[in-house]
Amino acid sequence: MSYSIGEFARLCGITATTLRAWQRRYGLLKPLRTEGGHRLYSDDDVQQALKILDWIKKGVPVSQVKPLLARPGSRHANNWLTLQQTMLQHLKEGKIESLRQLIYNSGREYPRGELVREVLRPLRGLVSANVAAMMTLREILDGIIISYTAFCLEGDKKAPGEHYLLTGWHLNDPCEIWLEALLRTGQGQRIDILPSPPAMLAPEIFPQRKWLLVTSGKLTAARKKQITQWQQVVSLDVIIL
């Protein structure tokens, strides 16, 4: 079967922008072209894309995947822990610009969802001790994460996409709002953020927008009731951490 770039992206769970980068920048895929110049992907391309994603999920930067695809029996050590430790070392040594650049570069090398789940959230956990030094390091890290997320969100607004408002709700860690936004970038969503969970929330004042609420812990009966009331007037999803 043949697939358009949109169909292929949905089938593989990645974005069309990522597919184009895999082809142009890294030479990982070679789709056919229609007479009009549109890309056509095959079932073999699907298998190739899944192999690429498998290496990336193991922590291999996309720029290093191509030679591995030619060695189907090869294995590669999980690179996530190494990346975490490198970032942590930069942070502890006060190499803020180096850490910032490493995070920005990693956002180009890895899917941002994997970067958040496999690197940034665990890294924040490594500097979560309730002592002055660790708390200071965590605030520096969070500042870089927020800055990078804002950069990615602005990039998304240059392309068409659905409008969302994202905020926390009964959330003790406001940085999770930014992490959740970051892992959603590059997916055709134009996200605006309420950077701190408001004491009282009123999604109904913007009924035309889709809402994403990030919360933690078990939903109580009262909170479930409130969600149901909101969902009667606005499009609203809850992300439970």
Side-chain angles (χ1 to χ4, degrees), residues 93-122:
E93 293 176 356
K95 297 179 179 177
I96 297 174
E97 289 306 318
S98 296
L99 174 60
R100 186 190 313 278
Q101 192 61 54
L102 182 55
I103 289 175
Y104 275 60
N105 290 343
S106 297
R108 289 191 292 267
E109 292 284 350
Y110 303 104
R112 290 171 190 157
E114 299 294 330
L115 178 63
V116 169
R117 287 185 287 266
E118 301 290 347
V119 180
L120 296 180
R121 276 181 173 147

Side-chain angles (χ1 to χ4, degrees), residues 193-240:
I193 288 182
L194 283 67
S196 298
M200 298 181 68
L201 188 62
E204 64 274 10
I205 67 173
F206 295 120
Q208 75 280 13
R209 291 292 185 96
K210 294 186 176 182
W211 283 81
L212 297 168
L213 304 188
V214 183
T215 190
S216 54
K218 186 178 180 180
L219 290 178
T220 63
R223 293 179 190 176
K224 290 179 180 178
K225 181 179 179 180
Q226 179 64 82
I227 291 168
T228 300
Q229 291 174 351
W230 282 333
Q231 289 176 333
Q232 291 174 354
V233 293
V234 298
S235 174
L236 181 147
D237 290 322
V238 178
I239 302 112
I240 303 175

Side-chain angles (χ1 to χ4, degrees), residues 146 166-178 193-201 211 214:
I146 290 170
L166 188 151
T167 188
W169 187 55
H170 297 286
L171 183 68
N172 294 326
D173 185 355
C175 191
E176 284 292 346
I177 298 171
W178 296 91
I193 288 182
L194 283 67
S196 298
M200 298 181 68
L201 188 62
W211 283 81
V214 183

Side-chain angles (χ1 to χ4, degrees), residues 136-149:
T136 301
L137 292 178
R138 181 154 170 163
E139 289 301 316
I140 292 170
L141 174 61
D142 286 355
I144 296 173
I145 290 172
I146 290 170
S147 176
Y148 178 53
T149 302

Side-chain angles (χ1 to χ4, degrees), residues 55-179:
W55 283 114
I56 290 172
K57 288 178 180 178
K58 293 175 181 176
V60 179
V62 65
S63 59
Q64 299 176 20
V65 166
K66 190 172 183 179
L68 298 173
L69 296 173
R71 306 199 304 268
S74 65
R75 294 183 176 271
H76 194 284
N78 192 307
N79 196 45
W80 299 127
L81 183 59
T82 301
L83 190 54
Q84 288 176 33
Q85 292 299 326
T86 302
M87 290 184 181
L88 181 62
Q89 184 176 356
H90 286 337
L91 184 61
K92 287 183 174 180
E93 293 176 356
K95 297 179 179 177
I96 297 174
E97 289 306 318
S98 296
L99 174 60
R100 186 190 313 278
Q101 192 61 54
L102 182 55
I103 289 175
Y104 275 60
N105 290 343
S106 297
R108 289 191 292 267
E109 292 284 350
Y110 303 104
R112 290 171 190 157
E114 299 294 330
L115 178 63
V116 169
R117 287 185 287 266
E118 301 290 347
V119 180
L120 296 180
R121 276 181 173 147
L123 177 60
R124 292 182 78 240
L126 295 175
V127 288
S128 61
N130 192 25
V131 295
M134 286 296 181
M135 292 173 71
T136 301
L137 292 178
R138 181 154 170 163
E139 289 301 316
I140 292 170
L141 174 61
D142 286 355
I144 296 173
I145 290 172
I146 290 170
S147 176
Y148 178 53
T149 302
F151 169 79
C152 294
L153 291 174
E154 284 302 309
D156 282 353
K157 289 174 183 176
K158 297 175 183 178
E162 293 189 278
H163 291 272
Y164 288 82
L165 283 168
L166 188 151
T167 188
W169 187 55
H170 297 286
L171 183 68
N172 294 326
D173 185 355
C175 191
E176 284 292 346
I177 298 171
W178 296 91
L179 289 169

